[in-house]
Amino acid sequence: MEKKTFYITTPIYYPSDKLHIGHTYCTVASDAIARYKRLQGYDVMFLTGTDEHGQKIEEKAKAAGKTPQQFVDDIVIAPGGIKDLWKLMNISNDRFIRTTDDYHVAAIQRIFRKMYDKGDIYKGKYAGMYCTPCESFWTESQLVDGKCPDCGREVKYAEEEAYFFKLSNYAEPVRKLLTETDFLEPASRVNEMIHNFIDCEGGLQDLCVSRTSFKWGVPVDFDEGHVVYVWVDALSNYITALGYMNDRYDEFDKYWPADVHVVGKEIVRFHSIIWPAMLMSMELPLPKKVFGHGWLVIDGGKISKSKENKSVNIIDPYILAQRYGVDALRFFLLRTFPFGSDGDFSNKLLISCINTDLANDLGNLLSRTTAMVGKYFGGQLPAEQAEGPEDAELMEMAKGLRNRYEAAMEKFQLQNGLAEVFKLIARANKYIDETAPWVLAKSEEQKPRLARVLYNLLETLRICGTLLQPFMPESMDRLFAQIGADAAITTWDSAAQWGLEPATALVNKGENLFPRIDMDKELEELEKLSAPEKDPIEPFKESVVFDDFAKCDFRAVKVLKCENVKKSEKLLRFTLDDGSGTERQILSGIAKYYKPEELVGKTLCAIVNLPPRKMMGLESNGMLISAVHTEKGEEKLNLLMLDDAIPAGAVMC
C-alpha cells in the first residue's frame, strides 16, 4: 500500500548574519512535526533552505569586502554555518534549497515569464517607501511612526523603473481564502491580514516585482537591468525544490500542494496574500495551510540578528546546545512556548525547564525504575507478576495517551502534545509513591507484586518515549536501550497498546539522560560568556613635542560632494568646503564603511596642511579624521562627525 504524503516547509532563512535561537525555534518545531508524521507512517518531504538574494546581501557583502556569493557561502556552507547548525540540532530535512542554486534561478525566470505572458505582470515605475532589511515595500499609511511596521527600522524613499504584479486582481479570492477556510492559522492572524492589507486605505495594491537599483538577484531574462523581487524569488522555492519549471527534481505532482508552510508571524503577509495570488496566477493548487508562529522575545523585544540584546542571555544555539545538549534545547523550545504565540526567552527559564521536566520528572522516573529493576531483580523481571488496585488508573491513562497527544499535534499545538505526555510521567512518579516498591521488596511474598509495579513503570516509559521521539530522538534511543525496548515496540501503532514490553526484558541502568544543573552557578557562567570580548587597542605611539603637534592644522569641513573613485573599491572622492572660498579635494579609503550619498552635507574634521599626494591619478589635499578600532577581529571605522552648527574652516584645537 502506498504511503500518504506530507509536505512541510520552513521559511528559507536570510543569510545576512549568523542565525539565532529564534530561527532554531522555527526549524526545530518543523522538524518535530515532520518526525511526528513519519512516526505515523507518512512519506514526508521536509524542506528548508536559504534566501540568498537582495539589496541587503549586496550591501553587506560590499561592506565586508566580499562578492555576494562569497558572503552567503561563508554563512550558509562554511564550518559553523547554517547547514552545520541544522546538523547539530538534528534537523531531519529531506532537502535544502539555496536560491542561488542554478536550477532554482532558471525556474524563477520561467515563473516570472509565465505570469508576464498571462498579463499579470506589467512594466511601470515604482515610487514609495522601501525597507532594505526586510526587503519590503510599504505605503505611507502602512508605516508606524514613519518606520517599517515589521522591524521598526528606517525606510527609504525609492523611485525606479519596475515591473508590477497585479496583486489587486486577486484581492477577493485571497479574502475568501482567508475568511472562509482555515488556510491561515492561528486564526488571530486573519483579521490582521484583512485589516492591514486588503481593507486598508487604497485596498490591496499591485506589487513591485523587479528592481533596477541593485544587481544581486535573479535577472529578468527578457529585460536587461531588472532583477526579480526577492520575495517572488523566495516564495517560489516551495515549488522549485520539487521540480516545478526545472529538471533537477520530479516530485511536484507527488508532494504539492504543501500540507503546511511554517513561518514566523512577521512574514505571514507574504505567505498568506502574495504567495496564494502568485499561485492563482500560475493556476496551481494552493498550499493547505500557512501556520504563523510567534516570536521568541527578550524583555518584550523580538530577538533579532540586527539588535544587540542587552539582557544577560545567550541566544547562540551553538553555545546552548553544547552546554545543555541538543535534545534538551529542542525540548525546551517546544515545551515552554505555545507555538502560535510569542514567548519570553531567558536562559533561566531554559535551565528551570531542564531541571524540572527532564531531570526531575522524566529522568528521575527512568533512573528510579531501572535502578530498582537492577537492585531487586538483577536487571530482568520474573515472568510471575501480580496486579494490584493501584494499576488501573495508570494503565488507562497510558492507553489513552496516544489519542490525546495526536489531537494536539494535528493542530500544531506541540506544547499541548508534550503536556499530555508529561501528565502521564507525573502520574507514574505518583504511582511509585503509592505502591512503595522499597516496602514490597522487603517481603519475598510480595516479589510478584513488586515485579508488576516495575513492569508497569517500564511500559509507561516505553509509551512516553515513543511519543517523545519527534522532540528528543537521540535521548529516546538511549531511553529505549535502558528499558530493553526494541524498534518493533516503539512504533506509532505500539504507542496505543499496553503490554508490549516483554515481561522478562533486560533492563540496564545507564547514565542520567538529563543531569540536574546548578542554577546559580550556571547563570554566573553565562554572565561571563555574555560579557563582550574586548579587542586589544592599537599601541600608543611615541611622544612628540607640543610644538610639532601644533604644526598640524585641523579644520572643520563641509561635504559638498562625495562619489566613488572609478576602478577603486576602496576610495571615496570628497569635494569639501574648508572655509577658504576654494573647494578642497580629499580622497579617503573608506568606501567599505560608507555610501557616498550618506556623507553629503555632513560636517567632518580634516587635517589640511599635509603635502598633496596622488591616488588613482587624482590629487588628495589633506586627510579626513576617523576613529578606527577592532571588533571581534574585524576592523571598524567611523568618521569623526561634527555638529553641523560649526562653520567650515573652524580651527580644531
Side-chain angles (χ1 to χ4, degrees), residues 168-221:
S168 57
N169 283 3
Y170 295 93
E172 284 311 305
V174 170
R175 179 200 296 275
K176 288 184 178 180
L177 177 69
L178 293 175
T179 58
E180 297 178 8
T181 74
D182 62 356
F183 172 76
L184 176 59
E185 289 190 346
S188 58
R189 310 263 184 251
V190 173
N191 287 339
E192 180 186 344
M193 294 300 108
I194 297 293
H195 176 74
N196 291 350
F197 301 106
I198 296 179
D199 288 347
C200 61
E201 183 181 345
L204 191 61
Q205 302 290 307
D206 287 352
L207 179 70
C208 179
V209 290
S210 79
R211 302 292 308 278
T212 57
S213 57
F214 63 92
K215 296 180 180 179
W216 184 239
V218 177
V220 175
D221 60 358

Side-chain angles (χ1 to χ4, degrees), residues 557-562 573-577 596 599-604 624:
V557 293
K558 304 278 186 180
V559 182
L560 303 175
K561 289 170 58 179
C562 183
R573 179 182 181 181
F574 288 83
T575 303
L576 304 164
D577 175 6
L599 299 173
V600 175
K602 299 293 185 184
T603 304
L604 308 178
L624 296 173

